[in-house]
Amino acid sequence: FGEAQLVKLGARDISDLAVASPNVTILPVAFARTAAAINIRGMGAAGFESTEESPTGISVDGIAVTRPAASMIDTFDMQRVEVLRGPQGTSFGKNSLAGGIAAYTKNPGSDFGWSVEGTLGNYGRADLKAAVDLPIVRDKLAVRLVGAAETVDGWFRNRVDGTRIAKGDTLTFRGTVLFTPTEDISFNVKLFKI
């Protein structure tokens, strides 16, 4: 899925890609908002324990996401997301029998630019996401900063004490520095805070 396809689908996270991917089911885990229950070709897992290994490999910019609790990837500011069916042992390791999901974030542009996205919804849902391109030295050094703040009050209510379950606040940041000293050499450094 390229950037235009992600926008056309209205994809907020990888769970929204399942409707356009045959034989793929991606659902959020009810009690862990940042975890995804991913099934490809009938194989999958719905856990979020750090010791559990899913049969679906996940990577962001070529770096494996090894913890199921961080598997619900936001599609904001993504260049593309690939849903790969079938064993992906070469790319994702020996246990990725079902397939893999590879996400690639945008690199800094050569011109100043920005984008903002907001969401309001039921159960106290409020999201704000922003990205900005900052060219420092034209065609040599550029920075891209991305931030997201998400909050939700929870979908379930504890019948004993009335508190909400599955609520949470998420604050994430990503910074990318692209240094191109010559046409043949470039350095790309990405920092994430999830």
Side-chain angles (χ1 to χ4, degrees):
F1 297 91
E3 183 181 357
Q5 289 175 304
L6 293 171
V7 171
K8 186 175 181 181
L9 280 172
R12 290 186 33 230
D13 54 42
I14 61 169
S15 67
D16 295 324
L17 304 179
V19 297
S21 304
N23 226 358
V24 175
T25 305
I26 305 171
L27 299 169
V29 176
F31 43 84
R33 293 178 346 111
T34 59
I38 303 170
N39 289 283
I40 299 176
R41 299 176 340 128
M43 292 184 280
F48 72 101
E49 293 291 331
S50 63
T51 56
E52 185 175 338
E53 203 162 329
S54 173
T56 303
I58 300 172
S59 71
V60 178
D61 291 325
I63 306 298
V65 176
T66 58
R67 299 292 180 241
S71 58
M72 185 59 81
I73 299 169
D74 194 324
T75 57
F76 177 73
D77 199 55
M78 286 289 168
Q79 179 183 356
R80 71 182 191 277
V81 179
E82 300 171 354
V83 178
L84 310 165
R85 291 176 200 81
Q88 300 292 323
T90 304
S91 301
F92 295 99
K94 64 178 179 155
N95 291 334
S96 56
L97 297 174
I101 296 176
Y104 298 92
T105 60
K106 291 182 187 177
N107 284 324
S110 58
D111 297 321
F112 175 80
W114 57 275
S115 63
V116 176
E117 178 182 297
T119 303
L120 293 174
N122 295 343
Y123 304 104
R125 181 71 188 229
D127 301 347
L128 182 62
K129 302 171 186 179
V132 63
D133 273 326
L134 301 168
I136 309 296
V137 178
R138 185 128 182 106
D139 298 328
K140 297 288 182 194
L141 181 63
V143 175
R144 184 170 185 85
L145 302 173
V146 180
E150 301 176 358
T151 184
V152 67
D153 291 340
W155 299 280
F156 307 103
R157 188 174 298 278
N158 183 329
R159 291 184 181 181
V160 177
D161 62 8
T163 60
R164 292 244 182 220
I165 301 171
K167 63 181 178 178
D169 297 325
T170 307
L171 188 61
T172 59
F173 295 101
R174 182 175 67 243
T176 305
V177 178
L178 180 61
F179 176 53
T180 312
T182 68
E183 288 184 19
D184 299 329
I185 299 173
S186 68
F187 298 96
N188 193 335
V189 178
K190 296 191 183 212
L191 302 171
F192 292 84
K193 187 271 177 199
I194 299 175

